[in-house]
């Protein structure tokens, strides 16, 4: 089996820490000026679609999107693009206060020479999430 690229190693650590609820360890994976766009574009938690940049904002993203539920992320395919970039096709399921959601997504990680995440761009359908929540009686 071949060695993981720096980007794939960062991805694996990111989802492991997210699922384990390890905020400090998750934040430590990111460069001080890193940006997370999850999802890319406008969403209820990022109305301007600018993403969350810098450690403080990444901590806010964690508190809003990761810490609130029981997150399970299943990667289906990891595609390295050289050593420093990868795309990952994955599914995220979440259970927040009895509300269950299922999101198919593609995440693109870019890391620096030290393996720190510079950017994490996650592409998923916000409308699909809204439909799932509406079906459970929640306005999104």
């Amino acid at each position: 089996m071949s060695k993981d690229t720096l980007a794939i190693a960062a991805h694996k650590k990111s989802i492991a820490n997210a699922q384990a609820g390890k905020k400090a360890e998750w934040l430590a994976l990111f460069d001080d000026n890193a940006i997370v766009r999850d999802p890319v574009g406008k969403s209820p938690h990022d109305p301007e679609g600018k993403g969350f940049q810098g450690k403080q904002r990444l901590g806010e993203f964690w508190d809003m999107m990761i810490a609130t539920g029981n997150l399970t992320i299943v990667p289906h395919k990891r595609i390295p693009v050289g050593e420093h970039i990868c795309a990952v096709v994955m599914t995220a399921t979440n259970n927040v206060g009895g509300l269950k959601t299922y999101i198919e997504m593609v995440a693109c990680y870019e890391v620096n020479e030290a393996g720190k995440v510079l950017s994490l761009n996650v592409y998923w359908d916000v409308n699909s999430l809204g439909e799932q929540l509406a079906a459970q009686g929640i306005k999104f």
Side-chain angles (χ1 to χ4, degrees):
M1 186 169 149
S2 63
K3 177 182 164 277
D4 286 339
T5 66
L6 287 173
I8 289 176
H11 150 71
K12 287 180 175 180
K13 291 175 190 172
S14 175
I15 63 169
N17 287 322
Q19 292 180 133
K22 296 181 177 180
K23 180 180 180 179
E25 291 88 340
W26 183 80
L27 287 170
L29 297 172
F30 291 84
D31 181 79
D32 289 342
N33 201 35
I35 187 164
V36 170
R37 296 177 190 93
D38 184 355
V40 171
K42 295 179 180 180
S43 68
H45 65 274
D46 184 14
E48 295 181 20
K50 293 182 178 181
F52 295 79
Q53 188 163 21
K55 291 284 180 106
Q56 180 176 339
R57 292 283 289 145
L58 294 180
E60 293 169 11
F61 172 82
W62 173 280
D63 294 341
M64 189 182 330
M65 297 299 293
I66 298 173
T68 58
N70 183 12
L71 182 64
T72 302
I73 300 171
V74 178
H76 302 290
K77 184 163 182 71
R78 296 179 177 106
I79 305 163
V81 183
E83 188 67 28
H84 299 102
I85 299 172
C86 72
V88 184
V89 178
M90 54 190 178
T91 304
T93 55
N94 208 345
N95 187 335
V96 180
L99 298 172
K100 296 179 182 177
T101 59
Y102 171 89
I103 302 169
E104 294 176 329
M105 56 183 64
V106 176
C108 297
Y109 291 77
E110 182 175 359
V111 302
N112 61 20
E113 290 295 327
K116 296 281 188 178
V117 177
L118 297 171
S119 66
L120 171 55
N121 294 299
V122 187
Y123 299 85
W124 55 272
D125 185 2
V126 175
N127 295 325
S128 174
L129 178 61
E131 291 168 2
Q132 291 176 52
L133 292 173
Q136 299 176 69
I138 302 297
K139 184 179 178 187
F140 183 63

